[in-house]
Amino acid sequence: MNKKFKNLRIMDNFYQSSSFFPMPLCLVGTLDKNQEGTSFGAYSLCFPYYVAGKDFYAMILETRNSSNTAKGLLRHGKCTLNFIPFTKKNFEQHVLMGFPGDTPEEKMKALTRFTPAEGLRALNDPNNKYPKIIDEAVQVFECTWVKELDNAQDDEVLEEYEGPYHNFNGITSKFGAHFILKIENILLKEKYYDAIVNGVNSKNFCPLPTNWGYRDSKNFWCSNYKKPIAVGIPNREVDLSSIKYALERIDTDVNFTDDALKMIVKVPRPFLKTVLLSCVKWAEDNNCKLITPTEMKIINDKRSKEKSKK
């Protein structure tokens, strides 16, 4: 091994104890036992899970199985993921909300810097109870726990968990739990909504902090937000012969003109077959035997509309 590196022992909570690991920082809102209020807890172990190719999109949240958040999800199956803009005062509130052992009532009382507000789910479905969102957040995911995955639908709140444990959803160890969360809504403040829709630049990029995982016996560590830098995506094109080669390996009698195939030369090779298959399916569904640039434009417009609906 390169002598510049030293091998560090891997320990429990290795992302804190044995490494520096960049992670998001969010406040997770769940309903309390009686669904009368929302308890917010600070989390960083919250990452994208299903990102494409499924019937829904999802995050995965890792938490102690004795936490208020775990109990709220086990009981009610709903949560909000609130991403707060960086300031030192906001980070101090995050740290305060992450202290283990506080009751939901103590959590709600400690939430002095942020304002709970109704989310889109509550506004659209006033007859049911939903966790609140944080009004000062720049971005919020409203989520539902997909409890049927890994057969976790019968998991309940207990004082201790002795197993058997699930592999990836529900109660996964004596002390831990994982929750696969279906994303119902992604809510963005208007400035950042406009940035994604109309074009992101260094001035309108979302000012989110980074939790660096490592913590010592006295401190949590977080980096402040700085303007991001942008590096252009390589402007590579797949040559036409490669596209035709991929097309020959698809069992179909649908044909493409060269001008139509030229419209997908910028598709990276790993995604080429998927794009061609979607074009072929559209053609077969529409009784089309030859795809020209006209049909390709219709297919591209349809794909854009489907993405905007999601």
Side-chain angles (χ1 to χ4, degrees), residues 71-120:
K71 292 175 181 178
L73 281 165
L74 289 169
R75 288 184 178 119
H76 311 301
K78 307 164 190 171
C79 72
T80 61
L81 311 179
N82 301 268
F83 297 87
I84 313 295
F86 174 80
T87 67
K88 188 172 185 295
K89 292 291 186 182
N90 285 353
F91 181 52
E92 289 172 353
Q93 177 77 90
H94 271 101
V95 173
L96 185 62
M97 302 308 292
F99 193 81
D102 288 349
T103 65
E105 293 74 23
E106 290 170 329
K107 292 278 190 184
M108 286 182 265
K109 188 176 181 180
L111 190 72
T112 57
R113 186 168 180 81
F114 303 136
T115 311
E118 297 291 359
L120 183 59

Side-chain angles (χ1 to χ4, degrees), residues 27-43 61 63 67-82 104-105 107-108 129-134 143 145 179 181:
L27 289 176
V28 180
T30 51
L31 292 168
D32 63 15
K33 185 175 182 179
N34 299 315
Q35 302 189 76
E36 293 177 352
T38 300
S39 174
F40 290 95
Y43 284 89
L61 173 68
T63 177
S67 68
N68 297 317
T69 300
K71 292 175 181 178
L73 281 165
L74 289 169
R75 288 184 178 119
H76 311 301
K78 307 164 190 171
C79 72
T80 61
L81 311 179
N82 301 268
E105 293 74 23
K107 292 278 190 184
M108 286 182 265
K129 299 284 188 177
Y130 295 96
K132 293 185 182 295
I133 68 173
I134 297 292
C143 299
W145 176 38
F179 295 97
L181 305 172

Side-chain angles (χ1 to χ4, degrees), residues 184-198:
E184 305 288 357
N185 299 305
I186 295 179
L187 310 179
L188 286 163
K189 286 290 175 60
E190 185 174 4
K191 176 180 178 179
Y192 306 109
Y193 173 94
D194 290 342
I196 288 181
V197 172
N198 300 316

Side-chain angles (χ1 to χ4, degrees), residues 6 19 39 52 54 69 101 116 127 157 215 236 239-240 250 269 302-303:
K6 297 184 75 66
S19 66
S39 174
K54 292 285 188 179
T69 300
N127 293 324
V157 175
R215 66 180 65 165
R236 298 178 183 173
D239 63 271
L240 211 55
I250 297 175
R269 290 179 189 274
K302 178 177 179 288
R303 188 181 298 120

